[in-house]
Amino acid sequence: MNIGKTLLFRLALAAIILCAAGLLLWQTQARRGIPEGLIQANGRIEGDAVIIASKTPGRIVELAVHEGDSVQPKQLLVRLDDGIARARMAQAQADVKAAQAQADAARAALVLLRRQVPHAVASSEAGVASSQTDLARAEAARAQDARDLGRAKKLEADRFVGPQFIERAELALKTHQEERDAALAGLERARQALNDARLGPQRIRVSEAELAAALGALAVAEAKRAEAQSALDDLTLASPAAGVITSRYANGGEVITAGAPIFELVDLDRLYLKLFVPEREIGKVRRGLAAQIYSDAFPDQPFGATVRYIGSRAEFTPKEVQTPDERVKLMYEVRLYLDRNPGHKLTPGLPADAMIRWKEDAAWARPRW
C-alpha cells in the first residue's frame, strides 16, 4: 500500500514538474513572441580558415596583400626569391632541347635505314648473280684454252706447228686462269656483301632500340623540366578561393622554412554562424534543419542556412550569448552554414541572429530579444 502511494506521489510530482517546465517555456516564447516551431539564437559569423604556406623554403620578396584585404581566386599573395629556380629551369630547358635533337637524329637514321636495307639486299643479290656469270664465263674460257693447248702440243709433236704456237696457247690459258681466279674472288666478295645486307633487319632493330633510348632520355629531360617548372611555380603563392585575409604571420624580406604559415584566409563561400542552443531545446535541433540568419548590417535581408554541426558535449554559457535568462546554463554549440553568400556581404566577425525551424509548418519570423 505504501509502495502504491509512493508511486502515485512520484508520478504526480513528475507531472507537476513537466507542467511547470512547459509553462515556463511557453511564457518565455510568448514573451519573445516567437512562433512555435522556431528556436532563436545568436552568435558570430565565422569561416573555414585556409593557411597559406610555401612548400619550399625561401626569402619573401613581395607580400601583395595585407590583413583585412579581400582577395579573389588565383590572385597573387606572395612571391619568393626565384633566382635559383629560374636557373634550374633554364638548364632543364637546355637538356630537353639536346635530348630532342638526339631523338630527332635517331628517328631520321631509322627512317633512312629502313629505306636502305631492301635496296641493299636487292643490289647485293644482283651482284652475286653477276659474279656467278663472270665466274662461269671465265671457267668456260679457261677450259677452252686448256683444250687448245692440248691440241697445240699434239700438232707440235707431229711438227705441224712451231714453239711459238705453244707459247701463245699457254699465255691464253694463263690469262683466263687469272680471270677465273678474279671472278671467283669477286663472287666471294658479292656473297659477303649479300650477307651484310641481310643483316639489315638486325641493324633496324638496333636503330629502333637507339631511338627508344633517345625518347626515354627525352622523357626524363621533360620530366625534370616539369619538376623545375613546378618548383618555380611554387615560389608564387596565389589565393585558392575568394576570401578575406584574417592574419599575417611573416614580413617581406624574411626567410621562411617549408610549410611555415604566411597568411590565414577565410573562404567567404564557406561561412557559418557559430551559436549556442540551451540544453532544454537542443533535442529539437538536428542536422539538415533549415535556418535563417539576420545581421544588423543587412536588417531586411535574411540569409538562408542549414544546420550542419551540433556539439556532442554541453558547455557553460559563453559570454557572447546575449539573453539574460540563459546565463549560467549549459549550452550546445551549433553551426549554421550559409547556403549562399551573395556578393560576399557577410564576413567573418559579424554578430548575427538566427532562427532555426524545427517544425516544417512553422512560419518564419524575425528574431526578437
Side-chain angles (χ1 to χ4, degrees):
M1 194 69 176
N2 292 334
I3 296 176
K5 290 181 179 180
T6 303
L7 179 60
L8 289 175
F9 175 76
R10 290 180 178 178
L11 290 175
L13 181 61
I16 293 172
I17 293 174
L18 289 175
C19 291
L23 179 62
L24 178 61
L25 178 60
W26 177 84
Q27 289 177 345
T28 302
Q29 298 286 356
R31 184 173 67 251
R32 296 178 183 171
I34 300 174
E36 178 69 16
L38 298 180
I39 297 176
Q40 177 176 280
N42 62 68
R44 289 187 179 275
I45 299 293
E46 297 185 9
D48 295 335
V50 178
I51 300 299
I52 306 300
S54 173
K55 294 193 295 185
T56 59
R59 182 175 60 86
I60 298 175
V61 297
E62 180 183 0
L63 291 176
V65 293
H66 300 85
E67 298 95 323
D69 289 351
S70 296
V71 298
Q72 299 301 318
K74 299 182 180 181
Q75 179 178 338
L76 175 66
L77 301 181
V78 184
R79 281 198 311 109
L80 303 180
D81 185 8
D82 59 1
I84 296 177
R86 289 190 178 278
R88 290 175 178 170
M89 182 62 185
Q91 180 63 49
Q93 288 177 335
D95 293 342
V96 168
K97 289 182 179 180
Q100 184 66 62
Q102 293 179 354
D104 292 342
R107 186 180 291 106
L110 177 60
V111 171
L112 181 61
L113 189 59
R114 284 173 174 170
R115 293 176 179 175
Q116 288 178 340
V117 166
H119 295 292
V121 172
S123 177
S124 298
E125 289 176 345
V128 169
S130 177
S131 297
Q132 288 175 338
T133 301
D134 293 341
L135 178 61
R137 186 182 301 111
E139 286 281 4
R142 173 183 172 282
Q144 183 62 45
D145 288 343
R147 289 191 295 271
D148 291 343
L149 179 59
R151 286 193 293 268
K153 289 181 176 180
K154 290 181 180 180
L155 292 174
E156 183 190 19
D158 295 337
R159 299 188 181 276
F160 288 106
V161 297
Q164 296 84 0
F165 190 80
I166 297 298
E167 291 176 358
R168 285 195 296 269
E170 289 176 346
L171 180 60
L173 177 60
K174 180 180 179 182
T175 300
H176 287 108
Q177 177 68 37
E178 293 175 352
E179 290 178 356
R180 181 258 184 192
D181 294 341
L184 185 60
L187 177 59
E188 184 63 27
R189 288 193 298 270
R191 287 173 175 170
Q192 183 62 43
L194 178 58
N195 291 333
D196 291 342
R198 287 174 176 170
L199 293 176
Q202 297 181 17
R203 294 192 181 96
I204 289 176
R205 288 192 291 271
V206 171
S207 183
E208 289 173 343
E210 291 175 350
L211 175 59
L215 292 175
L218 175 61
V220 171
E222 289 176 340
K224 290 183 178 180
R225 181 178 63 180
E227 181 181 4
Q229 183 65 58
S230 177
L232 181 61
D233 294 341
D234 288 342
L235 298 178
T236 302
L237 308 184
S239 175
V244 174
I245 301 297
T246 56
S247 300
R248 175 168 58 90
Y249 304 103
N251 298 313
E254 290 185 10
V255 177
I256 60 173
T257 60
I262 303 174
F263 286 120
E264 181 183 76
L265 170 70
V266 174
D267 187 351
L268 296 183
D269 290 320
R270 292 181 56 83
L271 297 182
Y272 60 88
L273 177 63
K274 179 180 179 181
L275 47 82
F276 292 87
V277 175
E279 186 178 25
R280 67 173 180 271
E281 295 183 338
I282 194 62
K284 304 173 184 177
V285 182
R286 59 186 181 275
R287 293 179 180 85
L289 288 180
Q292 286 188 346
I293 296 175
Y294 296 83
S295 171
D296 293 339
F298 307 99
D300 299 326
Q301 181 181 2
F303 295 84
T306 304
V307 177
R308 300 294 185 193
Y309 172 83
I310 302 173
S312 59
R313 294 183 179 180
E315 51 189 287
F316 290 106
T317 305
K319 293 181 179 180
E320 61 265 23
V321 174
Q322 300 174 3
T323 53
D325 58 338
E326 292 177 353
R327 293 294 180 191
V328 300
K329 296 179 181 178
L330 291 179
M331 311 283 282
Y332 284 82
E333 180 183 344
V334 176
R335 295 181 186 179
L336 308 180
Y337 277 81
L338 287 167
D339 298 332
R340 291 189 313 111
N341 186 13
H344 293 162
K345 293 180 180 180
L346 298 182
T347 56
L350 285 177
D353 301 323
M355 300 295 286
I356 303 173
R357 185 166 65 181
W358 58 276
K359 283 188 176 182
E360 294 184 359
D361 57 349
W364 288 110
R366 295 178 59 85
R368 298 180 179 89
W369 296 108

